Amino acid sequence: MASSRILLKAAKSFEFNAETLVFLSNSTNEVYRFTKGDLSYILRLSQKPQEYVEKIRAEVDWVYYLVENGLRASLPIKTRENQLTAVYHDEDKCYIATAFYAAPGRFFDKNDDQYWGPKVFRNWGETMGRMHRLSKSYGASDVLVKRDCWSISNINNPHLQRGSFYVLLEKLISMERRIHLLPRDRDSFGLIHNDFHPYNFFIDDSEITVFDFDDSIFGWFSLDIAIAATHAVWWGVQKDERVAKNEFAQLFLREFLMGYGKENHLSEYWLQTIPMFMEYRNICSFFWWLGEWDGDESRLTEDQRNAINNAVKLIERSLLFDGCDIQI
């Protein structure tokens, strides 16, 4: 956790009273809420190496451009020095601070039609479509370092070289080889959010305000759509059966793409890659657990073990993952 000295520096940079800070979360970043006047803001502290400063500057520069051009996203605010980032050092740690207007509304609720359903899905798609359309015209000449580009994973964990775990690893390697060969033209490939799931936006009267762009990369637009669809199926379906998931996926994508098409056009070729990218997102989920795994299976939860076993059975039967055998 950042020291009080770092928090006071952030308060000075973004010109707010440090006593208004309220801690929210600490996962990839430390996140706080603060108030200034009658408005609420979000402070994000990223503990990263110094060389990562320009990567974050590239992120918030893009977000600033998106909001200035009509996207509903949490607008970054500037420091008293008119910068989008501030950098502080505390002993051997480097903190990169950014701040944003707090998004209006609240998280999704699959049991409330106002916060989950066709209208939300269409607005979600429309928001992403606008983001991708604007991505095509974005070109920040003053950003020294660009965001990373999608690349093949580098997984060298020796504990994944055996049994069921190796089946998953082989599947990941096979999919990434296929993805690596896909075209990367202006109409299909650009800056994407790369994590536009239901816990990275708020809903206010069915309108979507997106935030948390810290996973943004240069990637395929259809990958961004697939990530949204995959997470919608994970968290938004009422039942856990395969048939229910596929029916929900069909419904979601129909509504989502209806909204998306209002803002951006994807050819039929790229629409047909969405199920493949959904499968890819599913297989990647296992390596969120297993990337640094020490080989002790008792450290995996029962749900994780069951998910791995079911996934391996589907792979061995040459079937796709739950929620991915859909038609676009």
Side-chain angles (χ1 to χ4, degrees):
M1 294 289 291
S3 65
S4 58
R5 189 166 67 90
I6 294 297
L7 295 177
L8 286 170
K9 285 187 174 184
K12 183 177 181 180
S13 293
F14 293 101
E15 300 181 294
F16 65 88
N17 185 344
E19 293 182 359
T20 69
L21 280 169
V22 177
F23 174 77
L24 297 180
S25 65
N26 183 18
S27 54
T28 305
N29 307 291
E30 285 181 40
V31 180
Y32 299 81
R33 182 183 297 272
F34 68 87
T35 56
K36 186 161 60 168
D38 295 328
L39 298 177
S40 293
Y41 300 82
I42 299 297
L43 172 69
R44 188 185 73 186
L45 294 174
S46 305
Q47 187 183 327
K48 299 283 188 181
Q50 177 72 35
E51 54 268 25
Y52 208 85
V53 172
E54 289 301 320
K55 294 281 188 185
I56 292 182
R57 181 166 177 254
E59 170 207 338
V60 290
D61 184 88
W62 180 46
V63 177
Y64 198 89
Y65 171 83
L66 293 174
V67 178
E68 290 291 286
N69 285 276
L71 186 77
R72 289 178 62 99
S74 292
L75 178 68
I77 64 172
K78 294 184 178 181
T79 66
R80 60 193 298 173
E81 290 81 22
N82 202 37
Q83 299 297 312
L84 289 171
T85 59
V87 182
Y88 318 117
H89 294 89
D90 189 5
E91 297 178 350
D92 60 340
K93 297 177 182 178
C94 174
Y95 290 92
I96 307 163
T98 47
F100 308 82
Y101 283 92
R106 48 172 278 195
F107 287 124
F108 82 108
D109 181 350
K110 66 182 180 183
N111 298 310
D112 187 333
D113 291 343
Q114 186 178 352
Y115 294 96
W116 195 247
K119 188 174 182 181
V120 171
F121 304 157
R122 287 193 298 271
N123 288 340
W124 188 354
E126 189 171 343
T127 302
M128 184 180 287
R130 182 172 299 174
M131 181 191 307
H132 292 170
R133 175 173 57 79
L134 291 171
S135 180
K136 296 176 184 179
S137 59
Y138 174 69
S141 58
D142 62 334
V143 172
L144 301 178
V145 177
K146 291 185 177 181
R147 297 294 294 177
D148 290 337
C149 188
W150 180 92
S151 61
I152 290 175
S153 304
N154 183 23
I155 298 175
N156 297 314
N157 189 332
H159 303 294
L160 302 180
Q161 306 293 326
R162 57 182 175 84
S164 298
F165 306 103
Y166 188 58
V167 174
L168 295 173
L169 182 59
E170 280 190 316
K171 180 66 175 180
L172 177 67
I173 292 170
S174 173
M175 295 201 74
E176 290 191 331
R177 286 173 177 166
R178 178 182 173 189
I179 291 168
H180 181 69
L181 297 175
L182 290 172
R184 304 185 185 197
D185 57 79
R186 178 179 174 273
D187 290 329
S188 65
F189 190 91
L191 266 173
I192 61 173
H193 188 284
N194 197 39
D195 203 26
F196 197 165
H197 60 63
Y199 286 110
N200 277 339
F201 63 79
F202 270 3
I203 303 166
D204 185 36
D205 193 23
S206 297
E207 293 291 337
I208 302 296
T209 302
V210 57
F211 42 81
D212 282 1
F213 284 75
D214 50 324
D215 285 329
S216 58
I217 60 169
F218 285 89
W220 292 272
F221 298 145
S222 53
L223 169 61
D224 223 11
I225 295 171
I227 290 169
T230 303
H231 285 268
V233 172
W234 285 354
W235 296 328
V237 69
Q238 295 287 350
K239 299 180 181 179
D240 201 35
E241 295 89 351
R242 184 180 181 85
V243 172
K245 286 185 174 182
N246 283 306
E247 289 177 350
F248 177 82
Q250 298 279 5
L251 166 67
F252 174 82
L253 279 170
R254 181 173 66 248
E255 300 294 338
F256 185 95
L257 292 173
M258 187 183 303
Y260 185 93
K262 293 180 180 179
E263 291 286 344
N264 191 52
H265 173 73
L266 272 186
S267 71
E268 185 64 22
Y269 172 85
W270 289 109
L271 292 177
Q272 291 301 322
T273 66
I274 293 172
M276 181 268 293
F277 276 127
M278 289 178 69
E279 183 181 11
Y280 173 62
R281 184 67 168 187
N282 269 311
I283 193 72
C284 285
S285 70
F286 296 104
F287 295 93
W288 300 338
W289 314 330
L290 299 173
E292 303 297 326
W293 181 52
D294 63 1
D296 183 353
E297 294 191 30
S298 69
R299 296 184 186 276
L300 300 175
T301 68
E302 183 177 355
D303 286 343
Q304 289 172 342
R305 288 195 295 270
N306 289 339
I308 290 169
N309 291 335
N310 290 334
V312 169
K313 288 178 183 176
L314 289 169
I315 293 172
E316 291 175 339
R317 290 162 53 197
S318 299
L319 295 174
L320 297 176
F321 283 86
D322 284 348
C324 295
D325 51 343
I326 56 176
Q327 301 296 317
I328 301 297

